[in-house]
Amino acid sequence: AYELADALIASLGETFTIQGKPFRIRASIGIALIRDDSPDAATVMRQADEAMYVAKLAGKGSWRLYRAGAEEFAPSV
């Protein structure tokens, strides 16, 4: 998941041109891992959503991992 998030952010970060104007897209990605003790899909989606908002606060295209039980987020590298 981490490698995919890094690759996606890197590919989106490349400048592209539309009608002669340069554009650049940035993404914020929240990651929540499904584990044997995950309560349900809705909870995992909520956790990923929370991690995404923390990534947005970091800015400049980043990802964050939601760590169940710890209520903290691991930063992207």
Side-chain angles (χ1 to χ4, degrees):
Y2 315 136
E3 290 175 8
L4 180 59
D6 284 335
L8 180 58
I9 289 170
S11 67
L12 289 175
E14 295 179 14
T15 303
F16 61 96
T17 305
I18 298 177
Q19 296 182 347
K21 296 181 182 180
F23 290 90
R24 188 170 176 197
I25 298 173
R26 291 190 172 160
S28 299
I29 300 172
I31 300 171
L33 303 177
I34 297 174
R35 304 182 190 281
D36 290 338
D37 62 344
S38 295
D40 55 50
T43 300
V44 175
M45 289 299 296
R46 180 187 55 77
Q47 293 169 345
D49 195 45
E50 289 178 22
M52 181 206 48
Y53 281 105
V54 173
K56 284 180 179 281
L57 291 173
K60 296 187 180 181
S62 63
W63 59 265
R64 293 295 184 268
L65 170 66
Y66 181 88
R67 293 189 179 189
E71 299 301 320
E72 64 184 42
F73 300 87
S76 56
V77 181

PDB file of all heavy atoms in Angstrom, residues 1-16 24-31 51-52 55-56 58-65 75-77:
ATOM      1  N   ALA A   1       0.832  -1.194   0.000  1.00  0.00           N
ATOM      2  CA  ALA A   1       0.000   0.000   0.000  1.00  0.00           C
ATOM      3  C   ALA A   1       0.872   1.252   0.000  1.00  0.00           C
ATOM      4  O   ALA A   1       0.558   2.227  -0.669  1.00  0.00           O
ATOM      5  CB  ALA A   1      -0.941  -0.005   1.197  1.00  0.00           C
ATOM      6  N   TYR A   2       1.985   1.198   0.756  1.00  0.00           N
ATOM      7  CA  TYR A   2       2.860   2.378   0.846  1.00  0.00           C
ATOM      8  C   TYR A   2       3.512   2.660  -0.499  1.00  0.00           C
ATOM      9  O   TYR A   2       3.579   3.815  -0.934  1.00  0.00           O
ATOM     10  CB  TYR A   2       3.942   2.193   1.900  1.00  0.00           C
ATOM     11  CG  TYR A   2       3.467   1.614   3.209  1.00  0.00           C
ATOM     12  CD1 TYR A   2       4.190   0.623   3.841  1.00  0.00           C
ATOM     13  CD2 TYR A   2       2.295   2.061   3.810  1.00  0.00           C
ATOM     14  CE1 TYR A   2       3.760   0.088   5.050  1.00  0.00           C
ATOM     15  CE2 TYR A   2       1.849   1.530   5.008  1.00  0.00           C
ATOM     16  CZ  TYR A   2       2.590   0.540   5.623  1.00  0.00           C
ATOM     17  OH  TYR A   2       2.161   0.021   6.803  1.00  0.00           O
ATOM     18  N   GLU A   3       4.011   1.608  -1.149  1.00  0.00           N
ATOM     19  CA  GLU A   3       4.677   1.778  -2.434  1.00  0.00           C
ATOM     20  C   GLU A   3       3.701   2.282  -3.497  1.00  0.00           C
ATOM     21  O   GLU A   3       4.043   3.135  -4.317  1.00  0.00           O
ATOM     22  CB  GLU A   3       5.320   0.473  -2.886  1.00  0.00           C
ATOM     23  CG  GLU A   3       6.512   0.082  -2.045  1.00  0.00           C
ATOM     24  CD  GLU A   3       7.073  -1.283  -2.414  1.00  0.00           C
ATOM     25  OE1 GLU A   3       6.642  -1.863  -3.427  1.00  0.00           O
ATOM     26  OE2 GLU A   3       7.942  -1.767  -1.680  1.00  0.00           O
ATOM     27  N   LEU A   4       2.484   1.767  -3.472  1.00  0.00           N
ATOM     28  CA  LEU A   4       1.472   2.212  -4.426  1.00  0.00           C
ATOM     29  C   LEU A   4       1.119   3.680  -4.190  1.00  0.00           C
ATOM     30  O   LEU A   4       0.999   4.456  -5.144  1.00  0.00           O
ATOM     31  CB  LEU A   4       0.218   1.339  -4.326  1.00  0.00           C
ATOM     32  CG  LEU A   4      -0.923   1.687  -5.271  1.00  0.00           C
ATOM     33  CD1 LEU A   4      -0.479   1.613  -6.729  1.00  0.00           C
ATOM     34  CD2 LEU A   4      -2.103   0.766  -5.018  1.00  0.00           C
ATOM     35  N   ALA A   5       0.970   4.074  -2.939  1.00  0.00           N
ATOM     36  CA  ALA A   5       0.670   5.475  -2.622  1.00  0.00           C
ATOM     37  C   ALA A   5       1.798   6.383  -3.092  1.00  0.00           C
ATOM     38  O   ALA A   5       1.548   7.431  -3.697  1.00  0.00           O
ATOM     39  CB  ALA A   5       0.435   5.637  -1.118  1.00  0.00           C
ATOM     40  N   ASP A   6       3.039   5.988  -2.833  1.00  0.00           N
ATOM     41  CA  ASP A   6       4.190   6.776  -3.290  1.00  0.00           C
ATOM     42  C   ASP A   6       4.207   6.907  -4.813  1.00  0.00           C
ATOM     43  O   ASP A   6       4.433   7.988  -5.361  1.00  0.00           O
ATOM     44  CB  ASP A   6       5.506   6.155  -2.818  1.00  0.00           C
ATOM     45  CG  ASP A   6       5.795   6.410  -1.355  1.00  0.00           C
ATOM     46  OD1 ASP A   6       5.288   7.413  -0.799  1.00  0.00           O
ATOM     47  OD2 ASP A   6       6.541   5.605  -0.764  1.00  0.00           O
ATOM     48  N   ALA A   7       3.968   5.797  -5.501  1.00  0.00           N
ATOM     49  CA  ALA A   7       3.981   5.800  -6.964  1.00  0.00           C
ATOM     50  C   ALA A   7       2.866   6.673  -7.527  1.00  0.00           C
ATOM     51  O   ALA A   7       3.065   7.425  -8.482  1.00  0.00           O
ATOM     52  CB  ALA A   7       3.859   4.374  -7.499  1.00  0.00           C
ATOM     53  N   LEU A   8       1.683   6.588  -6.937  1.00  0.00           N
ATOM     54  CA  LEU A   8       0.555   7.388  -7.401  1.00  0.00           C
ATOM     55  C   LEU A   8       0.827   8.875  -7.198  1.00  0.00           C
ATOM     56  O   LEU A   8       0.622   9.682  -8.106  1.00  0.00           O
ATOM     57  CB  LEU A   8      -0.722   6.979  -6.663  1.00  0.00           C
ATOM     58  CG  LEU A   8      -1.992   7.723  -7.048  1.00  0.00           C
ATOM     59  CD1 LEU A   8      -2.290   7.574  -8.534  1.00  0.00           C
ATOM     60  CD2 LEU A   8      -3.154   7.224  -6.224  1.00  0.00           C
ATOM     61  N   ILE A   9       1.326   9.244  -6.035  1.00  0.00           N
ATOM     62  CA  ILE A   9       1.636  10.647  -5.755  1.00  0.00           C
ATOM     63  C   ILE A   9       2.722  11.156  -6.705  1.00  0.00           C
ATOM     64  O   ILE A   9       2.627  12.271  -7.235  1.00  0.00           O
ATOM     65  CB  ILE A   9       2.025  10.837  -4.280  1.00  0.00           C
ATOM     66  CG1 ILE A   9       0.772  10.671  -3.406  1.00  0.00           C
ATOM     67  CG2 ILE A   9       2.676  12.191  -4.042  1.00  0.00           C
ATOM     68  CD1 ILE A   9       1.048  10.587  -1.925  1.00  0.00           C
ATOM     69  N   ALA A  10       3.731  10.341  -6.953  1.00  0.00           N
ATOM     70  CA  ALA A  10       4.812  10.743  -7.862  1.00  0.00           C
ATOM     71  C   ALA A  10       4.297  10.937  -9.284  1.00  0.00           C
ATOM     72  O   ALA A  10       4.643  11.922  -9.951  1.00  0.00           O
ATOM     73  CB  ALA A  10       5.934   9.714  -7.840  1.00  0.00           C
ATOM     74  N   SER A  11       3.466  10.014  -9.760  1.00  0.00           N
ATOM     75  CA  SER A  11       2.973  10.131 -11.136  1.00  0.00           C
ATOM     76  C   SER A  11       2.024  11.315 -11.292  1.00  0.00           C
ATOM     77  O   SER A  11       2.031  11.984 -12.327  1.00  0.00           O
ATOM     78  CB  SER A  11       2.305   8.842 -11.601  1.00  0.00           C
ATOM     79  OG  SER A  11       1.123   8.602 -10.874  1.00  0.00           O
ATOM     80  N   LEU A  12       1.237  11.591 -10.279  1.00  0.00           N
ATOM     81  CA  LEU A  12       0.335  12.745 -10.344  1.00  0.00           C
ATOM     82  C   LEU A  12       1.104  14.053 -10.225  1.00  0.00           C
ATOM     83  O   LEU A  12       0.650  15.085 -10.707  1.00  0.00           O
ATOM     84  CB  LEU A  12      -0.720  12.670  -9.240  1.00  0.00           C
ATOM     85  CG  LEU A  12      -1.779  11.594  -9.402  1.00  0.00           C
ATOM     86  CD1 LEU A  12      -2.669  11.553  -8.173  1.00  0.00           C
ATOM     87  CD2 LEU A  12      -2.604  11.829 -10.650  1.00  0.00           C
ATOM     88  N   GLY A  13       2.257  14.011  -9.597  1.00  0.00           N
ATOM     89  CA  GLY A  13       3.040  15.225  -9.386  1.00  0.00           C
ATOM     90  C   GLY A  13       3.740  15.735 -10.622  1.00  0.00           C
ATOM     91  O   GLY A  13       4.253  16.853 -10.634  1.00  0.00           O
ATOM     92  N   GLU A  14       3.759  14.939 -11.683  1.00  0.00           N
ATOM     93  CA  GLU A  14       4.399  15.372 -12.919  1.00  0.00           C
ATOM     94  C   GLU A  14       3.531  16.434 -13.608  1.00  0.00           C
ATOM     95  O   GLU A  14       2.319  16.323 -13.667  1.00  0.00           O
ATOM     96  CB  GLU A  14       4.606  14.175 -13.847  1.00  0.00           C
ATOM     97  CG  GLU A  14       5.578  13.159 -13.280  1.00  0.00           C
ATOM     98  CD  GLU A  14       5.759  11.961 -14.187  1.00  0.00           C
ATOM     99  OE1 GLU A  14       5.347  12.027 -15.370  1.00  0.00           O
ATOM    100  OE2 GLU A  14       6.304  10.960 -13.705  1.00  0.00           O
ATOM    101  N   THR A  15       4.176  17.463 -14.100  1.00  0.00           N
ATOM    102  CA  THR A  15       3.467  18.540 -14.787  1.00  0.00           C
ATOM    103  C   THR A  15       3.012  18.061 -16.161  1.00  0.00           C
ATOM    104  O   THR A  15       3.738  17.374 -16.857  1.00  0.00           O
ATOM    105  CB  THR A  15       4.386  19.769 -14.937  1.00  0.00           C
ATOM    106  OG1 THR A  15       4.829  20.165 -13.646  1.00  0.00           O
ATOM    107  CG2 THR A  15       3.671  20.921 -15.586  1.00  0.00           C
ATOM    108  N   PHE A  16       1.788  18.421 -16.530  1.00  0.00           N
ATOM    109  CA  PHE A  16       1.285  18.113 -17.855  1.00  0.00           C
ATOM    110  C   PHE A  16       0.681  19.388 -18.441  1.00  0.00           C
ATOM    111  O   PHE A  16       0.417  20.345 -17.722  1.00  0.00           O
ATOM    112  CB  PHE A  16       0.268  16.959 -17.822  1.00  0.00           C
ATOM    113  CG  PHE A  16      -0.948  17.238 -17.001  1.00  0.00           C
ATOM    114  CD1 PHE A  16      -2.118  17.700 -17.587  1.00  0.00           C
ATOM    115  CD2 PHE A  16      -0.937  17.032 -15.619  1.00  0.00           C
ATOM    116  CE1 PHE A  16      -3.243  17.955 -16.821  1.00  0.00           C
ATOM    117  CE2 PHE A  16      -2.057  17.283 -14.857  1.00  0.00           C
ATOM    118  CZ  PHE A  16      -3.215  17.745 -15.450  1.00  0.00           C
ATOM    119  N   ARG A  24      -0.520  20.764 -12.638  1.00  0.00           N
ATOM    120  CA  ARG A  24       0.061  19.750 -11.759  1.00  0.00           C
ATOM    121  C   ARG A  24      -1.017  19.335 -10.757  1.00  0.00           C
ATOM    122  O   ARG A  24      -1.683  20.178 -10.168  1.00  0.00           O
ATOM    123  CB  ARG A  24       1.264  20.323 -11.028  1.00  0.00           C
ATOM    124  CG  ARG A  24       2.019  19.291 -10.250  1.00  0.00           C
ATOM    125  CD  ARG A  24       3.316  19.866  -9.746  1.00  0.00           C
ATOM    126  NE  ARG A  24       3.965  18.860  -8.929  1.00  0.00           N
ATOM    127  CZ  ARG A  24       4.928  19.116  -8.099  1.00  0.00           C
ATOM    128  NH1 ARG A  24       5.372  20.346  -7.961  1.00  0.00           N
ATOM    129  NH2 ARG A  24       5.476  18.167  -7.394  1.00  0.00           N
ATOM    130  N   ILE A  25      -1.166  18.049 -10.566  1.00  0.00           N
ATOM    131  CA  ILE A  25      -2.158  17.514  -9.630  1.00  0.00           C
ATOM    132  C   ILE A  25      -1.429  16.983  -8.408  1.00  0.00           C
ATOM    133  O   ILE A  25      -0.387  16.344  -8.518  1.00  0.00           O
ATOM    134  CB  ILE A  25      -2.968  16.368 -10.283  1.00  0.00           C
ATOM    135  CG1 ILE A  25      -3.738  16.893 -11.488  1.00  0.00           C
ATOM    136  CG2 ILE A  25      -3.906  15.730  -9.268  1.00  0.00           C
ATOM    137  CD1 ILE A  25      -4.417  15.800 -12.282  1.00  0.00           C
ATOM    138  N   ARG A  26      -1.992  17.236  -7.252  1.00  0.00           N
ATOM    139  CA  ARG A  26      -1.450  16.661  -6.023  1.00  0.00           C
ATOM    140  C   ARG A  26      -2.541  15.842  -5.355  1.00  0.00           C
ATOM    141  O   ARG A  26      -3.715  16.162  -5.457  1.00  0.00           O
ATOM    142  CB  ARG A  26      -0.983  17.762  -5.077  1.00  0.00           C
ATOM    143  CG  ARG A  26       0.226  18.468  -5.623  1.00  0.00           C
ATOM    144  CD  ARG A  26       0.808  19.374  -4.603  1.00  0.00           C
ATOM    145  NE  ARG A  26       2.069  19.888  -5.108  1.00  0.00           N
ATOM    146  CZ  ARG A  26       2.637  20.963  -4.654  1.00  0.00           C
ATOM    147  NH1 ARG A  26       2.082  21.645  -3.683  1.00  0.00           N
ATOM    148  NH2 ARG A  26       3.786  21.370  -5.138  1.00  0.00           N
ATOM    149  N   ALA A  27      -2.132  14.788  -4.676  1.00  0.00           N
ATOM    150  CA  ALA A  27      -3.093  13.898  -4.021  1.00  0.00           C
ATOM    151  C   ALA A  27      -2.757  13.748  -2.547  1.00  0.00           C
ATOM    152  O   ALA A  27      -1.594  13.811  -2.154  1.00  0.00           O
ATOM    153  CB  ALA A  27      -3.077  12.532  -4.689  1.00  0.00           C
ATOM    154  N   SER A  28      -3.778  13.554  -1.764  1.00  0.00           N
ATOM    155  CA  SER A  28      -3.631  13.199  -0.350  1.00  0.00           C
ATOM    156  C   SER A  28      -4.301  11.845  -0.180  1.00  0.00           C
ATOM    157  O   SER A  28      -5.465  11.680  -0.540  1.00  0.00           O
ATOM    158  CB  SER A  28      -4.297  14.241   0.541  1.00  0.00           C
ATOM    159  OG  SER A  28      -3.710  15.510   0.355  1.00  0.00           O
ATOM    160  N   ILE A  29      -3.562  10.887   0.353  1.00  0.00           N
ATOM    161  CA  ILE A  29      -4.049   9.514   0.429  1.00  0.00           C
ATOM    162  C   ILE A  29      -4.077   9.050   1.877  1.00  0.00           C
ATOM    163  O   ILE A  29      -3.101   9.212   2.608  1.00  0.00           O
ATOM    164  CB  ILE A  29      -3.157   8.578  -0.410  1.00  0.00           C
ATOM    165  CG1 ILE A  29      -3.172   9.022  -1.874  1.00  0.00           C
ATOM    166  CG2 ILE A  29      -3.602   7.124  -0.254  1.00  0.00           C
ATOM    167  CD1 ILE A  29      -2.179   8.283  -2.751  1.00  0.00           C
ATOM    168  N   GLY A  30      -5.196   8.475   2.279  1.00  0.00           N
ATOM    169  CA  GLY A  30      -5.325   7.865   3.599  1.00  0.00           C
ATOM    170  C   GLY A  30      -5.349   6.355   3.452  1.00  0.00           C
ATOM    171  O   GLY A  30      -6.057   5.817   2.596  1.00  0.00           O
ATOM    172  N   ILE A  31      -4.557   5.678   4.266  1.00  0.00           N
ATOM    173  CA  ILE A  31      -4.463   4.225   4.196  1.00  0.00           C
ATOM    174  C   ILE A  31      -4.913   3.627   5.528  1.00  0.00           C
ATOM    175  O   ILE A  31      -4.460   4.059   6.584  1.00  0.00           O
ATOM    176  CB  ILE A  31      -3.019   3.773   3.912  1.00  0.00           C
ATOM    177  CG1 ILE A  31      -2.527   4.340   2.573  1.00  0.00           C
ATOM    178  CG2 ILE A  31      -2.915   2.244   3.925  1.00  0.00           C
ATOM    179  CD1 ILE A  31      -1.049   4.121   2.324  1.00  0.00           C
ATOM    180  N   ALA A  51      -7.307   9.309   8.032  1.00  0.00           N
ATOM    181  CA  ALA A  51      -5.895   9.380   7.656  1.00  0.00           C
ATOM    182  C   ALA A  51      -5.702  10.322   6.459  1.00  0.00           C
ATOM    183  O   ALA A  51      -4.722  11.065   6.396  1.00  0.00           O
ATOM    184  CB  ALA A  51      -5.361   7.987   7.336  1.00  0.00           C
ATOM    185  N   MET A  52      -6.649  10.318   5.525  1.00  0.00           N
ATOM    186  CA  MET A  52      -6.554  11.207   4.368  1.00  0.00           C
ATOM    187  C   MET A  52      -6.605  12.670   4.792  1.00  0.00           C
ATOM    188  O   MET A  52      -5.843  13.498   4.288  1.00  0.00           O
ATOM    189  CB  MET A  52      -7.675  10.941   3.375  1.00  0.00           C
ATOM    190  CG  MET A  52      -7.585  11.827   2.147  1.00  0.00           C
ATOM    191  SD  MET A  52      -9.156  12.139   1.308  1.00  0.00           S
ATOM    192  CE  MET A  52     -10.257  12.597   2.603  1.00  0.00           C
ATOM    193  N   ALA A  55      -3.342  13.646   6.058  1.00  0.00           N
ATOM    194  CA  ALA A  55      -2.429  13.816   4.924  1.00  0.00           C
ATOM    195  C   ALA A  55      -2.662  15.173   4.256  1.00  0.00           C
ATOM    196  O   ALA A  55      -1.719  15.853   3.865  1.00  0.00           O
ATOM    197  CB  ALA A  55      -2.602  12.683   3.913  1.00  0.00           C
ATOM    198  N   LYS A  56      -3.925  15.578   4.139  1.00  0.00           N
ATOM    199  CA  LYS A  56      -4.236  16.885   3.550  1.00  0.00           C
ATOM    200  C   LYS A  56      -3.612  18.014   4.370  1.00  0.00           C
ATOM    201  O   LYS A  56      -3.123  18.994   3.811  1.00  0.00           O
ATOM    202  CB  LYS A  56      -5.748  17.095   3.460  1.00  0.00           C
ATOM    203  CG  LYS A  56      -6.415  16.344   2.346  1.00  0.00           C
ATOM    204  CD  LYS A  56      -7.909  16.642   2.360  1.00  0.00           C
ATOM    205  CE  LYS A  56      -8.621  15.933   1.256  1.00  0.00           C
ATOM    206  NZ  LYS A  56      -8.480  16.585  -0.029  1.00  0.00           N
ATOM    207  N   ALA A  58      -0.907  17.881   6.001  1.00  0.00           N
ATOM    208  CA  ALA A  58       0.533  17.871   5.742  1.00  0.00           C
ATOM    209  C   ALA A  58       0.844  18.563   4.419  1.00  0.00           C
ATOM    210  O   ALA A  58       1.904  19.158   4.264  1.00  0.00           O
ATOM    211  CB  ALA A  58       1.063  16.438   5.730  1.00  0.00           C
ATOM    212  N   GLY A  59      -0.086  18.497   3.466  1.00  0.00           N
ATOM    213  CA  GLY A  59       0.060  19.187   2.192  1.00  0.00           C
ATOM    214  C   GLY A  59       1.084  18.583   1.254  1.00  0.00           C
ATOM    215  O   GLY A  59       1.734  17.587   1.549  1.00  0.00           O
ATOM    216  N   LYS A  60       1.185  19.199   0.083  1.00  0.00           N
ATOM    217  CA  LYS A  60       2.175  18.867  -0.938  1.00  0.00           C
ATOM    218  C   LYS A  60       2.182  17.407  -1.365  1.00  0.00           C
ATOM    219  O   LYS A  60       3.230  16.852  -1.640  1.00  0.00           O
ATOM    220  CB  LYS A  60       3.564  19.292  -0.489  1.00  0.00           C
ATOM    221  CG  LYS A  60       3.691  20.774  -0.333  1.00  0.00           C
ATOM    222  CD  LYS A  60       5.105  21.181  -0.069  1.00  0.00           C
ATOM    223  CE  LYS A  60       5.176  22.687   0.075  1.00  0.00           C
ATOM    224  NZ  LYS A  60       6.522  23.160   0.311  1.00  0.00           N
ATOM    225  N   GLY A  61       1.048  16.772  -1.387  1.00  0.00           N
ATOM    226  CA  GLY A  61       0.965  15.385  -1.852  1.00  0.00           C
ATOM    227  C   GLY A  61       1.629  14.427  -0.884  1.00  0.00           C
ATOM    228  O   GLY A  61       2.831  14.249  -0.903  1.00  0.00           O
ATOM    229  N   SER A  62       0.858  13.836  -0.028  1.00  0.00           N
ATOM    230  CA  SER A  62       1.410  12.904   0.947  1.00  0.00           C
ATOM    231  C   SER A  62       0.367  11.841   1.284  1.00  0.00           C
ATOM    232  O   SER A  62      -0.778  11.935   0.882  1.00  0.00           O
ATOM    233  CB  SER A  62       1.841  13.643   2.211  1.00  0.00           C
ATOM    234  OG  SER A  62       0.724  14.248   2.835  1.00  0.00           O
ATOM    235  N   TRP A  63       0.804  10.850   2.006  1.00  0.00           N
ATOM    236  CA  TRP A  63      -0.111   9.820   2.497  1.00  0.00           C
ATOM    237  C   TRP A  63       0.117   9.619   3.987  1.00  0.00           C
ATOM    238  O   TRP A  63       1.176   9.953   4.511  1.00  0.00           O
ATOM    239  CB  TRP A  63       0.034   8.512   1.730  1.00  0.00           C
ATOM    240  CG  TRP A  63       1.394   7.877   1.771  1.00  0.00           C
ATOM    241  CD1 TRP A  63       2.386   8.014   0.832  1.00  0.00           C
ATOM    242  CD2 TRP A  63       1.916   7.007   2.776  1.00  0.00           C
ATOM    243  NE1 TRP A  63       3.488   7.280   1.198  1.00  0.00           N
ATOM    244  CE2 TRP A  63       3.228   6.651   2.397  1.00  0.00           C
ATOM    245  CE3 TRP A  63       1.428   6.498   3.968  1.00  0.00           C
ATOM    246  CZ2 TRP A  63       4.031   5.806   3.155  1.00  0.00           C
ATOM    247  CZ3 TRP A  63       2.233   5.658   4.717  1.00  0.00           C
ATOM    248  CH2 TRP A  63       3.511   5.313   4.315  1.00  0.00           C
ATOM    249  N   ARG A  64      -0.895   9.098   4.641  1.00  0.00           N
ATOM    250  CA  ARG A  64      -0.808   8.766   6.056  1.00  0.00           C
ATOM    251  C   ARG A  64      -1.466   7.420   6.275  1.00  0.00           C
ATOM    252  O   ARG A  64      -2.443   7.068   5.624  1.00  0.00           O
ATOM    253  CB  ARG A  64      -1.504   9.803   6.936  1.00  0.00           C
ATOM    254  CG  ARG A  64      -0.842  11.171   6.941  1.00  0.00           C
ATOM    255  CD  ARG A  64       0.539  11.083   7.570  1.00  0.00           C
ATOM    256  NE  ARG A  64       1.168  12.365   7.691  1.00  0.00           N
ATOM    257  CZ  ARG A  64       1.977  12.915   6.802  1.00  0.00           C
ATOM    258  NH1 ARG A  64       2.230  12.298   5.675  1.00  0.00           N
ATOM    259  NH2 ARG A  64       2.535  14.092   7.015  1.00  0.00           N
ATOM    260  N   LEU A  65      -0.911   6.666   7.213  1.00  0.00           N
ATOM    261  CA  LEU A  65      -1.433   5.360   7.588  1.00  0.00           C
ATOM    262  C   LEU A  65      -2.155   5.476   8.920  1.00  0.00           C
ATOM    263  O   LEU A  65      -1.601   5.985   9.893  1.00  0.00           O
ATOM    264  CB  LEU A  65      -0.289   4.349   7.723  1.00  0.00           C
ATOM    265  CG  LEU A  65      -0.644   2.997   8.349  1.00  0.00           C
ATOM    266  CD1 LEU A  65      -1.595   2.227   7.437  1.00  0.00           C
ATOM    267  CD2 LEU A  65       0.607   2.204   8.632  1.00  0.00           C
ATOM    268  N   PRO A  75       3.452   9.008   9.276  1.00  0.00           N
ATOM    269  CA  PRO A  75       3.680   9.893   8.128  1.00  0.00           C
ATOM    270  C   PRO A  75       4.274   9.148   6.945  1.00  0.00           C
ATOM    271  O   PRO A  75       4.943   8.135   7.106  1.00  0.00           O
ATOM    272  CB  PRO A  75       4.680  10.910   8.666  1.00  0.00           C
ATOM    273  CG  PRO A  75       5.402  10.180   9.741  1.00  0.00           C
ATOM    274  CD  PRO A  75       4.396   9.227  10.342  1.00  0.00           C
ATOM    275  N   SER A  76       4.012   9.680   5.760  1.00  0.00           N
ATOM    276  CA  SER A  76       4.669   9.131   4.578  1.00  0.00           C
ATOM    277  C   SER A  76       6.131   9.527   4.623  1.00  0.00           C
ATOM    278  O   SER A  76       6.517  10.457   5.299  1.00  0.00           O
ATOM    279  CB  SER A  76       3.993   9.662   3.317  1.00  0.00           C
ATOM    280  OG  SER A  76       3.993  11.071   3.306  1.00  0.00           O
ATOM    281  N   VAL A  77       6.938   8.787   3.895  1.00  0.00           N
ATOM    282  CA  VAL A  77       8.380   9.017   3.919  1.00  0.00           C
ATOM    283  C   VAL A  77       8.762  10.080   2.914  1.00  0.00           C
ATOM    284  O   VAL A  77       8.216  10.256   1.921  1.00  0.00           O
ATOM    285  CB  VAL A  77       9.127   7.702   3.609  1.00  0.00           C
ATOM    286  CG1 VAL A  77      10.619   7.913   3.665  1.00  0.00           C
ATOM    287  CG2 VAL A  77       8.678   6.624   4.556  1.00  0.00           C
TER     288      VAL A  77
END
